[in-house]
Amino acid sequence: AIGIGFGAQNIINNFISGLILLAERPVKVGDLIQIEGGSSGEKLFGNVEHIGARSTRLRSGSNLEIIVPNSSFLQSNVINYTLSSDKLRISVSVGVVYGSPTTTVTQLLRRAVMETGRVSKDPPPIVLFKNFGENSLDFEIHFWIRMRTMMDRLQIESAVRFRIDQLFRDEGIVIAFPQRDVHLDTTRPLEVRMAPPAAPELEGPS
Protein backbone atom coordinates (compact mmCIF):
# COMPACT_ATOMS: atom_id res chain seq x y z
CA ALA A 1 0.00 0.00 0.00
CA ILE A 2 2.85 2.37 0.85
CA GLY A 3 4.58 1.58 -2.47
CA ILE A 4 1.37 2.14 -4.41
CA GLY A 5 0.87 5.39 -2.53
CA PHE A 6 4.30 6.70 -3.45
CA GLY A 7 3.89 5.62 -7.07
CA ALA A 8 0.48 7.26 -7.31
CA GLN A 9 1.93 10.43 -5.79
CA ASN A 10 4.43 10.76 -8.65
CA ILE A 11 1.79 10.03 -11.26
CA ILE A 12 -0.61 12.58 -9.77
CA ASN A 13 2.23 15.13 -9.50
CA ASN A 14 3.09 14.75 -13.18
CA PHE A 15 -0.58 14.79 -14.18
CA ILE A 16 -1.27 18.02 -12.30
CA SER A 17 1.93 19.53 -13.71
CA GLY A 18 0.71 18.63 -17.19
CA LEU A 19 -2.55 20.47 -16.56
CA ILE A 20 -0.60 23.53 -15.40
CA LEU A 21 1.58 23.40 -18.53
CA LEU A 22 -1.50 23.26 -20.74
CA ALA A 23 -3.16 26.10 -18.83
CA GLU A 24 -0.23 28.51 -18.44
CA ARG A 25 1.58 27.43 -21.64
CA PRO A 26 5.18 28.22 -20.53
CA VAL A 27 6.15 25.77 -23.27
CA LYS A 28 4.22 24.75 -26.37
CA VAL A 29 4.68 22.43 -29.30
CA GLY A 30 7.50 23.65 -31.55
CA ASP A 31 9.36 25.62 -28.86
CA LEU A 32 13.12 25.22 -28.48
CA ILE A 33 13.89 24.71 -24.79
CA GLN A 34 16.77 23.93 -22.47
CA ILE A 35 16.16 21.96 -19.30
CA GLU A 36 18.37 20.42 -16.62
CA GLY A 37 19.04 16.73 -17.13
CA GLY A 38 18.29 15.36 -13.68
CA SER A 39 20.98 14.39 -11.16
CA SER A 40 23.79 14.60 -13.75
CA GLY A 41 23.16 18.33 -14.20
CA GLU A 42 23.59 18.01 -17.98
CA LYS A 43 21.71 20.55 -20.08
CA LEU A 44 19.16 19.04 -22.47
CA PHE A 45 18.18 20.89 -25.65
CA GLY A 46 15.27 20.00 -27.86
CA ASN A 47 12.13 21.08 -29.65
CA VAL A 48 8.82 20.24 -27.99
CA GLU A 49 6.92 17.69 -30.07
CA HIS A 50 4.14 16.60 -27.73
CA ILE A 51 2.79 17.59 -24.31
CA GLY A 52 1.00 14.67 -22.70
CA ALA A 53 -0.83 14.12 -19.44
CA ARG A 54 2.22 12.68 -17.68
CA SER A 55 5.25 13.66 -19.75
CA THR A 56 6.47 15.88 -22.57
CA ARG A 57 8.41 14.61 -25.59
CA LEU A 58 11.36 16.59 -26.97
CA ARG A 59 13.39 15.95 -30.09
CA SER A 60 17.07 16.89 -29.96
CA GLY A 61 19.24 18.11 -32.80
CA SER A 62 20.64 14.56 -33.08
CA ASN A 63 17.09 13.27 -33.68
CA LEU A 64 16.88 11.73 -30.22
CA GLU A 65 13.50 11.63 -28.51
CA ILE A 66 13.71 12.83 -24.90
CA ILE A 67 10.86 12.01 -22.52
CA VAL A 68 10.65 14.57 -19.70
CA PRO A 69 8.24 14.21 -16.75
CA ASN A 70 5.92 17.20 -16.62
CA SER A 71 6.87 17.92 -13.01
CA SER A 72 10.44 18.70 -14.18
CA PHE A 73 9.18 21.84 -15.95
CA LEU A 74 7.88 23.21 -12.65
CA GLN A 75 10.72 22.03 -10.40
CA SER A 76 13.73 22.91 -12.62
CA ASN A 77 14.94 26.01 -14.42
CA VAL A 78 13.71 25.94 -18.00
CA ILE A 79 14.96 28.25 -20.75
CA ASN A 80 12.50 28.71 -23.60
CA TYR A 81 14.34 30.26 -26.54
CA THR A 82 11.18 30.79 -28.59
CA LEU A 83 8.45 31.52 -26.03
CA SER A 84 7.55 35.01 -27.27
CA SER A 85 10.06 35.47 -30.11
CA ASP A 86 12.61 33.44 -32.04
CA LYS A 87 15.01 36.40 -32.15
CA LEU A 88 18.14 35.87 -30.07
CA ARG A 89 21.35 37.80 -29.49
CA ILE A 90 24.54 35.74 -29.70
CA SER A 91 28.25 36.56 -29.80
CA VAL A 92 31.50 35.40 -31.38
CA SER A 93 34.89 35.97 -29.73
CA VAL A 94 38.29 36.38 -31.41
CA GLY A 95 41.77 37.38 -30.25
CA VAL A 96 44.34 39.20 -32.40
CA VAL A 97 48.06 39.67 -31.79
CA TYR A 98 49.33 42.71 -29.93
CA GLY A 99 50.09 45.60 -32.26
CA SER A 100 47.08 44.94 -34.50
CA PRO A 101 45.13 48.07 -35.54
CA THR A 102 42.12 47.92 -33.24
CA THR A 103 40.01 50.27 -35.38
CA THR A 104 40.52 48.06 -38.44
CA VAL A 105 39.70 44.94 -36.42
CA THR A 106 36.45 46.52 -35.26
CA GLN A 107 35.47 47.46 -38.81
CA LEU A 108 36.26 44.00 -40.15
CA LEU A 109 34.23 42.30 -37.41
CA ARG A 110 31.20 44.44 -38.23
CA ARG A 111 31.65 43.75 -41.93
CA ALA A 112 31.94 40.00 -41.36
CA VAL A 113 28.61 39.92 -39.54
CA MET A 114 26.79 42.21 -41.96
CA GLU A 115 27.96 40.11 -44.92
CA THR A 116 26.80 36.85 -43.35
CA GLY A 117 23.36 35.63 -44.34
CA ARG A 118 20.64 34.88 -41.76
CA VAL A 119 21.96 37.63 -39.45
CA SER A 120 19.52 40.40 -38.54
CA LYS A 121 20.75 43.81 -39.68
CA ASP A 122 18.57 45.64 -37.16
CA PRO A 123 19.65 46.22 -34.48
CA PRO A 124 23.20 46.52 -35.83
CA PRO A 125 26.04 44.40 -34.40
CA ILE A 126 28.01 45.65 -31.41
CA VAL A 127 31.78 45.15 -31.14
CA LEU A 128 33.40 45.12 -27.69
CA PHE A 129 37.12 45.35 -26.96
CA LYS A 130 36.91 42.90 -24.08
CA ASN A 131 40.37 42.71 -22.62
CA PHE A 132 44.15 42.91 -22.92
CA GLY A 133 44.61 39.15 -22.76
CA GLU A 134 47.69 37.17 -21.86
CA ASN A 135 48.47 36.42 -25.51
CA SER A 136 46.01 38.56 -27.47
CA LEU A 137 43.78 41.58 -27.76
CA ASP A 138 40.36 40.08 -27.08
CA PHE A 139 37.32 41.21 -29.08
CA GLU A 140 33.71 40.12 -28.96
CA ILE A 141 30.95 40.90 -31.46
CA HIS A 142 27.27 40.65 -30.54
CA PHE A 143 24.52 40.31 -33.14
CA TRP A 144 20.94 39.12 -33.53
CA ILE A 145 19.65 36.04 -35.32
CA ARG A 146 16.40 34.13 -35.69
CA MET A 147 16.70 30.63 -34.28
CA ARG A 148 14.29 27.71 -34.24
CA THR A 149 16.86 24.96 -33.56
CA MET A 150 20.29 24.83 -31.94
CA MET A 151 21.79 23.91 -35.32
CA ASP A 152 20.59 27.28 -36.67
CA ARG A 153 22.77 29.03 -34.11
CA LEU A 154 25.79 26.79 -34.67
CA GLN A 155 25.65 27.24 -38.45
CA ILE A 156 25.43 31.02 -38.24
CA GLU A 157 28.27 31.26 -35.71
CA SER A 158 30.38 29.04 -37.98
CA ALA A 159 29.62 31.20 -41.04
CA VAL A 160 30.62 34.36 -39.14
CA ARG A 161 33.92 32.77 -38.07
CA PHE A 162 34.68 31.70 -41.65
CA ARG A 163 34.07 35.27 -42.85
CA ILE A 164 36.18 36.78 -40.05
CA ASP A 165 39.09 34.49 -40.92
CA GLN A 166 38.88 35.41 -44.61
CA LEU A 167 38.70 39.17 -44.00
CA PHE A 168 41.56 39.06 -41.48
CA ARG A 169 43.73 37.17 -43.96
CA ASP A 170 43.00 39.72 -46.68
CA GLU A 171 43.95 42.62 -44.38
CA GLY A 172 46.97 40.93 -42.79
CA ILE A 173 45.38 40.73 -39.32
CA VAL A 174 46.84 37.77 -37.40
CA ILE A 175 44.63 35.75 -35.06
CA ALA A 176 46.57 35.17 -31.86
CA PHE A 177 47.56 31.84 -30.36
CA PRO A 178 49.19 30.97 -27.01
CA GLN A 179 52.92 31.72 -26.97
CA ARG A 180 55.76 32.32 -24.52
CA ASP A 181 58.72 34.73 -24.70
CA VAL A 182 62.11 33.47 -23.51
CA HIS A 183 64.58 36.16 -22.32
CA LEU A 184 68.29 35.32 -22.10
CA ASP A 185 70.68 37.04 -19.70
CA THR A 186 73.38 38.38 -22.07
CA THR A 187 75.32 40.25 -19.37
CA ARG A 188 77.58 37.21 -19.07
CA PRO A 189 78.65 34.47 -21.47
CA LEU A 190 76.18 31.68 -21.95
CA GLU A 191 77.28 28.35 -20.53
CA VAL A 192 76.87 25.45 -22.96
CA ARG A 193 77.20 21.84 -21.82
CA MET A 194 77.21 18.71 -23.92
CA ALA A 195 75.09 16.00 -22.41
CA PRO A 196 76.50 12.44 -22.69
CA PRO A 197 74.61 10.15 -25.05
CA ALA A 198 71.97 8.05 -23.45
CA ALA A 199 72.82 4.40 -22.88
CA PRO A 200 70.99 2.06 -25.30
CA GLU A 201 68.18 0.10 -23.77
CA LEU A 202 68.65 -3.64 -23.59
CA GLU A 203 66.03 -5.53 -25.50
CA GLY A 204 64.38 -8.40 -23.76
CA PRO A 205 63.86 -11.86 -25.25
CA SER A 206 61.49 -11.82 -28.20
Side-chain angles (χ1 to χ4, degrees):
I2 295 176
I4 294 175
F6 277 112
Q9 182 180 9
N10 291 331
I11 293 175
I12 294 173
N13 184 18
N14 288 319
F15 179 76
I16 295 176
S17 299
L19 295 178
I20 296 175
L21 291 178
L22 293 174
E24 296 186 354
R25 296 177 66 83
V27 296
K28 57 184 182 296
V29 174
D31 282 349
L32 173 63
I33 65 172
Q34 170 189 320
I35 188 171
E36 297 178 0
S39 58
S40 63
E42 181 183 359
K43 304 298 182 182
L44 301 177
F45 297 88
N47 292 90
V48 179
E49 285 202 332
H50 176 73
I51 301 177
R54 188 191 67 84
S55 62
T56 295
R57 186 173 72 246
L58 311 178
R59 187 173 295 276
S60 72
S62 301
N63 203 34
L64 300 176
E65 291 185 320
I66 305 173
I67 309 300
V68 182
N70 287 332
S71 59
S72 298
F73 290 95
L74 304 181
Q75 298 173 356
S76 305
N77 295 326
V78 178
I79 298 177
N80 191 334
Y81 290 94
T82 55
L83 177 61
S84 59
S85 172
D86 61 355
K87 200 169 185 178
L88 179 72
R89 187 177 70 182
I90 62 175
S91 65
V92 169
S93 301
V94 64
V96 298
V97 298
Y98 275 88
S100 301
T102 54
T103 302
T104 303
V105 171
T106 301
Q107 294 172 350
L108 293 178
L109 290 176
R110 287 200 182 98
R111 179 181 167 189
V113 169
M114 298 300 289
E115 293 179 355
T116 302
R118 301 171 64 188
V119 172
S120 298
K121 304 303 186 289
D122 185 30
I126 299 175
V127 179
L128 300 178
F129 188 168
K130 290 287 292 184
N131 198 11
F132 294 96
E134 183 177 357
N135 301 295
S136 62
L137 303 175
D138 299 330
F139 288 82
E140 195 172 80
I141 182 164
H142 296 253
F143 52 94
W144 293 83
I145 65 171
R146 293 194 177 277
M147 182 181 72
R148 297 301 305 181
T149 65
M150 287 304 299
M151 186 55 65
D152 290 339
R153 174 176 182 171
L154 297 177
Q155 288 177 333
I156 295 172
E157 289 177 344
S158 177
V160 169
R161 293 189 182 100
F162 272 117
R163 189 60 181 148
I164 290 174
D165 180 70
Q166 182 180 0
L167 292 176
F168 279 14
R169 288 176 183 271
D170 294 341
E171 296 294 330
I173 304 297
V174 179
I175 297 178
F177 56 90
Q179 54 186 327
R180 292 290 183 270
D181 294 332
V182 178
H183 300 274
L184 301 177
D185 184 5
T186 59
T187 57
R188 56 182 180 178
L190 298 178
E191 183 179 355
V192 179
R193 295 181 180 179
M194 299 295 293
E201 296 183 0
L202 298 179
E203 297 183 357
S206 57

